[in-house]
Amino acid sequence: MQASELHLPQADPSLVVSSLLFEPISHSLALVRSDSSLLLYPPFSSFPPSSPPTIIPPLSTTSSFLRFHPNPNPNSASRVIFLTARPHAAGSSILLRAWILTSANSFAPICLDFNGKHGASSAAVIGLSHGFSVKIEGSVNFFALYSASARKIWVLSVRLRDDRTCLDLMKCAVIDCTSPIYSLRVSMGLLLLGEVNGVRVFPMRLLVKGRVKKRRNMEGRSENDNLSPKSDDLHKKQMDSSLKDMGGCCNGGGIELEGTAEISSPVCKGGHRADYSLAIRNIVKLRQDSGDRGSFFVAFKCSEVQSRNGLQTVTASLKAVSIHSLSQQRFLILDSNGVLHLFSMHNTTIDSEVSTQSCIPSRNGRMRRLNYTMKVQMLAVHPDIASRTYTIWISDGCYSVHIMSFTDVDISADESNNDGSDGKIMQNSVAVQAIFTSEKVQDIIPYAANGILILGQGSIFAYGIA
């Protein structure tokens, strides 16, 4: 075990760090400070990082890393982007700003253009009420923005222009929330919402995939024909690639989600050139509990119900307060009672499920409780979808962090032997090691499969397991 305290260079050491954000692929780090300012560190290979941070002034109420991958070119390198949000116009709207990781290994501000209506500027005004709380969650080419006061989730795509001077934002879907959301995750081509007594899942592909119509203006052909098989196949390939890239790009290949977009016109037989105009359907709008667009709900368990004076009341309700990806089909869920649950997708092809009653099991997924004696307050997972061994870091919020691991073999054995009771995966897992800290644990972020950053009461410690 190797341990060290990080003395990161910052402008005002008197400000206390309140939380950490880490981008695992590039090793970029963001420190959220007590005055809501941020220190954004570029990728580093050793601790502490030697490069000075980019200082993002207050007031940033939420922030997230995301990655842009230039679809459909799989050989192009992805770009790291950092998004922040703050209230605008007395909280009636949201102001978004973005920074991009440059080739010089530093973060620089980048212009934003929302829906192409107001032109590029240093910030984009989003017409969604900020209210008392917003949450932004980024993935690959997409991010979700949740406003608790507006009771809405916006799903937006990002696209980096060829000159890399501006980031185009396009609203893809709007979800009207009918119940509170306690956690939000966009990962592995899925939008997951932590709710009371379980998790709701929305396939991103069905939220953002546009149906296109084409008008051809050429001799001997009528207008409003369907897409040619070749063009339709290209569109499908773009979306399939998007799903593999954990979300993909809904407006790849010049296709936009609103309005029209012109594409190059191929030469047809006889030398005539077709005039293609791609008109995309309107933004997807749906209710949180509608069961539309392949969405479904997976419950922890049936709520306990008591009868009092002839009325039935719910006596216990768990909330999914944290969601972490293990692989493309498995997610680790932390509930409000400090209990861990393993959510497994049954199929990669998701069927719509109209019923969302919590006591009805989902045919698309399964939730199992993981038996462990600690009341978990913090959970962290290092994302490594290629590995069949899952390493998780858990803490009770006091002075220790425990490292647990289990494999797909443990899960398969648990599934075959399960008779409807809670799973036994944690009992079969291995406690690799426990870390005891001198300060109370405030936050944990794994920077590698065998390394973690622990935020104490103002201090940051790096631990590496040899």
Side-chain angles (χ1 to χ4, degrees):
M1 173 75 69
Q2 295 179 345
S4 62
E5 182 179 354
L6 300 188
H7 299 282
L8 298 176
Q10 50 179 304
D12 188 356
S14 64
L15 294 175
V16 178
V17 177
S18 57
S19 62
L20 308 173
L21 292 172
F22 188 72
E23 207 290 313
I25 299 179
S26 67
H27 281 205
S28 302
L29 176 66
L31 308 182
V32 182
R33 299 195 289 184
S34 53
D35 66 342
S36 76
S37 63
L38 294 105
L39 299 178
L40 185 56
Y41 290 87
F44 53 89
S45 57
S46 61
F47 290 105
S50 57
S51 301
T54 298
I55 301 176
I56 300 177
L59 298 161
S60 296
T61 53
T62 182
S63 56
S64 177
F65 285 102
L66 66 87
R67 298 185 70 88
F68 171 75
H69 187 80
N71 223 334
N73 185 356
N75 297 321
S76 299
S78 58
R79 303 299 297 268
V80 177
I81 297 167
F82 188 72
L83 284 175
T84 67
R86 60 176 296 176
H88 180 70
S92 62
S93 57
I94 298 172
L95 191 70
L96 282 182
R97 297 187 66 190
W99 286 258
I100 188 170
L101 182 61
T102 66
S103 57
N105 198 41
S106 62
F107 280 95
I110 186 171
C111 291
L112 298 175
D113 189 356
F114 177 52
N115 281 345
K117 296 179 179 179
H118 305 292
S121 61
S122 59
V125 177
I126 306 296
L128 181 65
S129 173
H130 185 286
F132 59 88
S133 174
V134 295
K135 171 67 175 176
I136 190 170
E137 178 68 22
S139 180
V140 178
N141 294 354
F142 290 98
F143 68 94
L145 190 60
Y146 168 57
S147 169
S149 60
R151 303 179 68 179
K152 291 182 184 296
I153 297 173
W154 282 18
V155 178
L156 297 99
S157 70
V158 301
R159 187 180 183 187
L160 184 64
R161 294 181 184 176
D162 293 338
D163 58 7
R164 299 178 182 178
T165 61
C166 184
L167 195 67
D168 291 319
L169 307 179
M170 188 68 63
K171 183 166 64 173
C172 302
V174 176
I175 301 173
D176 290 323
C177 299
T178 55
S179 59
I181 295 173
Y182 299 95
S183 56
L184 182 70
R185 175 69 63 178
V186 184
S187 180
M188 309 296 177
L190 299 172
L191 169 64
L192 298 99
L193 309 180
E195 301 181 10
V196 173
N197 205 36
V199 174
R200 194 175 305 274
V201 181
F202 290 85
M204 288 290 292
R205 183 178 182 182
L206 300 182
L207 281 180
V208 304
K209 182 178 180 180
R211 294 180 180 177
V212 296
K213 293 183 179 180
K214 179 188 63 176
R215 289 197 303 256
R216 285 181 174 176
N217 294 325
M218 62 184 190
E219 295 181 5
R221 300 304 299 267
S222 61
E223 295 188 358
N224 298 323
D225 290 338
N226 292 328
L227 278 174
S228 65
K230 184 176 181 180
S231 298
D232 190 47
D233 288 342
L234 175 61
H235 182 68
K236 290 179 179 178
K237 288 180 181 179
Q238 290 172 351
M239 295 309 305
D240 290 340
S241 178
S242 298
L243 186 60
K244 292 179 182 178
D245 289 331
M246 296 183 288
C249 182
C250 68
N251 56 353
I255 299 176
E256 301 293 340
L257 284 176
E258 288 185 309
T260 60
E262 298 299 324
I263 62 174
S264 58
S265 303
V267 177
C268 303
K269 291 182 179 180
H272 299 291
R273 182 172 294 273
D275 178 21
Y276 290 85
S277 179
L278 300 181
I280 305 302
R281 58 166 170 75
N282 293 330
I283 298 168
V284 171
K285 296 181 180 180
L286 69 161
R287 279 167 48 102
Q288 175 184 354
D289 59 353
S290 65
D292 293 339
R293 298 282 169 177
S295 62
F296 62 95
F297 183 84
V298 181
F300 294 136
K301 60 182 179 179
C302 292
S303 301
E304 299 175 10
V305 177
Q306 283 185 347
S307 179
R308 181 180 299 175
N309 298 328
L311 299 176
Q312 288 187 339
T313 59
V314 177
T315 60
S317 58
L318 301 175
K319 304 173 183 66
V321 296
S322 183
I323 303 173
H324 294 263
S325 305
L326 290 176
S327 67
Q328 193 168 6
Q329 291 184 294
R330 305 195 195 281
F331 299 85
L332 207 57
I333 315 297
L334 175 63
D335 71 27
S336 52
N337 280 352
V339 177
L340 296 177
H341 304 259
L342 180 68
F343 167 51
S344 299
M345 298 280 291
H346 286 164
N347 304 296
T348 54
T349 302
I350 300 173
D351 300 322
S352 280
E353 195 166 301
V354 175
S355 176
T356 57
Q357 298 179 27
S358 62
C359 291
I360 298 178
S362 170
R363 61 180 174 269
N364 294 315
R366 180 185 182 186
M367 191 81 71
R368 284 164 295 163
R369 173 174 173 167
L370 304 184
N371 294 322
Y372 191 63
T373 56
M374 176 188 290
K375 186 173 182 179
V376 180
Q377 297 296 320
M378 299 172 197
L379 165 66
V381 179
H382 183 260
D384 186 2
I385 61 176
S387 176
R388 297 179 64 87
T389 299
Y390 308 127
T391 301
I392 62 174
W393 309 74
I394 55 179
S395 174
D396 58 1
C398 294
Y399 295 90
S400 65
V401 176
H402 293 249
I403 308 101
M404 309 295 297
S405 67
F406 56 89
T407 67
D408 274 337
V409 176
D410 298 328
I411 298 174
S412 300
D414 180 77
E415 288 176 343
S416 61
N417 297 328
N418 194 280
D419 58 358
S421 60
D422 289 340
K424 305 298 181 182
I425 298 174
M426 274 297 186
Q427 291 183 354
N428 299 330
S429 62
V430 179
V432 179
Q433 207 161 359
I435 299 172
F436 297 93
T437 63
S438 58
E439 297 183 8
K440 193 172 183 179
V441 178
Q442 304 292 323
D443 198 2
I444 52 176
I445 295 289
Y447 64 85
N450 62 343
I452 190 171
L453 296 178
I454 299 178
L455 174 64
Q457 295 175 306
S459 302
I460 303 175
F461 303 92
Y463 290 86
I465 301 175

